[in-house]
Amino acid sequence: MSSLNELEDMEKLRGLSWMVALSQGLGITMVILMGVWLNTYMGGFAWDGSGKEFNLHPLCMICGMVFLYGEAALVYRVFRQTEKLKAKIIHASLLLLAFIAIVVGLVAVFQFHHKMHITNMYSLHSWFGMITVLLFCLQFLLGFLSFLLPGARPSIRSFYLPLHQFFGGGILTLAVISVISGINEKLFFKYKGTGYSKLPASAVIANVCGLVTIGFVLTILYIIQKKEWQRKPASAEEEESLAIHFQPISGHGTDTE
Amino acid sequence: MSSLNELEDMEKLRGLSWMVALSQGLGITMVILMGVWLNTYMGGFAWDGSGKEFNLHPLCMICGMVFLYGEAALVYRVFRQTEKLKAKIIHASLLLLAFIAIVVGLVAVFQFHHKMHITNMYSLHSWFGMITVLLFCLQFLLGFLSFLLPGARPSIRSFYLPLHQFFGGGILTLAVISVISGINEKLFFKYKGTGYSKLPASAVIANVCGLVTIGFVLTILYIIQKKEWQRKPASAEEEESLAIHFQPISGHGTDTE
């Protein structure tokens, strides 16, 4: 690459660096606000079927479905020079961590409902949340089968890639809808009557956490939709080396690397 | 244009037609469900400061901030052959209708709160809703100044266009967050205690309306992000003719057309 091209690229990517820094600031603030809200104002955490177990639900969901999911979405923008296969593994690993957080978060709320004899799955928040999680699992599975597991035909990959990218942003959008409606719902549960409308510190922190969440998500969506920040498609040699990597696993190759 | 190119274009646009048809089906279903829910199960409509006036709030907001806004977003995809200036006027007119619906919807909820002595602007729904409306107004104003009013420099237009497009989708996303958290909140207000969890017909209709809303919004977002469905940039002659159209108004030209 000529040094002129390199300079142009550096110029272009300076904006990306700032936006990534902003997203990280918002993401960490979002998780801290949620943690402080639940720990200081909502009774803290425990694994005993009480409201303290419920508190793990919003924390795990925002960590998994929003923060780790958003980080996973940034992998191909941030690890630009990293070998494609390694970037794919980082992307999938972050999503696996997200999946674990989501499972813990769902078990926490269902166990709490079970112990407290509260009906499951009636509110719009719960419907949206469950659809979001199911779409996340489907996207994770299809992404794994199409892009990480060897054997998927290039025609399938190139057909599925734009759908995977669109639903990547779509599922993050659904996740933030679930988070905001969930925080709103919890505050109405906690402050029955007019308590919420007096905006005690707890309600302000939770509301601000909701605003920071949408800030984080919009930053992520902005970064991933911007064409000039997208990672260049893998070169023919890199795709070839990926294929060689995979061949022994799929059993179609003879290379033993 | 050669007939081969025309055939290719028609092929590409067949998918667009289906997606637009789907979006229209979802959009109309969304508005009907909201109307039926409010009219049949929530007491109907009136302009008297009562709960019937409140009912105009969700109806106007979903019509303005989601349905008309979504229709406006589609204009450059649907009116592909229409002169650019006419398409801009249709886009701006739909947004003006949306703005009127939004104002009526906001007046309805503030008058209802005032008459019932209910505090304004404390819930996360209200914070999100107000931010969404303010961003809508800012986007509308900046869009008008940059793209419809003559005099904006081409460099400003080309700088602002991708931001206008991103915030177009972003504001629609914020709108759907406000709608879902609003429906959820209203159902908890209406069915105090365990009423909502028994999922009466009213709650089911409202929940389904929420799901249809996200279906409509995702369809719109899918259509507008797909590169091959974007309207081709205006030709040099068309931009020139737009400039001539505008010159008399801006006072810089001599053409009286």
Side-chain angles (χ1 to χ4, degrees), chain A residues 62-75:
Chain A
I62 213 166
C63 286
M65 271 302 337
V66 183
F67 185 69
L68 288 167
Y69 188 95
E71 299 295 279
L74 291 189
V75 162

Side-chain angles (χ1 to χ4, degrees), chain A residues 96-246:
Chain A
L96 186 64
L97 285 178
F99 178 74
I100 294 169
I102 291 164
V103 170
V104 175
L106 287 184
V107 170
V109 69
F110 279 101
Q111 271 196 195
F112 165 71
H113 281 179
H114 181 73
K115 182 151 183 189
M116 300 290 171
H117 306 291
I118 297 170
T119 313
N120 287 308
M121 298 298 307
Y122 64 89
S123 77
L124 190 50
H125 161 71
S126 66
W127 287 25
F128 259 92
M130 193 51 83
I131 288 171
T132 310
V133 169
L134 292 176
L135 284 175
F136 168 90
C137 294
L138 187 66
Q139 168 98 338
F140 194 21
L141 184 70
L142 289 179
F144 181 76
L145 293 177
S146 308
F147 303 123
L148 205 51
L149 208 71
R153 268 181 288 174
S155 62
I156 291 179
R157 288 188 178 182
S158 62
F159 170 78
Y160 178 51
L161 182 60
L163 282 173
H164 186 79
Q165 288 172 327
F166 174 72
F167 276 97
I171 291 167
L172 190 58
T173 302
L174 286 168
V176 73
I177 294 175
S178 307
V179 165
I180 303 305
S181 56
I183 294 175
N184 208 44
E185 175 176 317
K186 185 66 191 171
L187 286 168
F188 277 108
F189 275 133
K190 181 175 165 66
Y191 301 105
K192 292 183 179 69
T194 58
Y196 188 6
S197 72
K198 296 195 175 73
L199 278 178
S202 155
V204 173
I205 287 180
N207 278 6
V208 171
C209 178
L211 296 185
V212 174
T213 304
I214 189 68
F216 173 71
V217 168
L218 284 180
T219 319
I220 300 287
L221 292 176
Y222 183 75
I223 293 170
I224 60 177
Q225 59 89 40
K226 203 166 163 80
K227 288 285 163 223
E228 62 189 66
W229 290 344
Q230 286 188 356
R231 188 186 159 114
K232 290 192 186 95
S235 64
E237 301 95 64
E238 198 176 4
E239 283 297 346
E240 180 63 18
S241 85
L242 275 183
I244 291 169
H245 270 298
F246 278 141

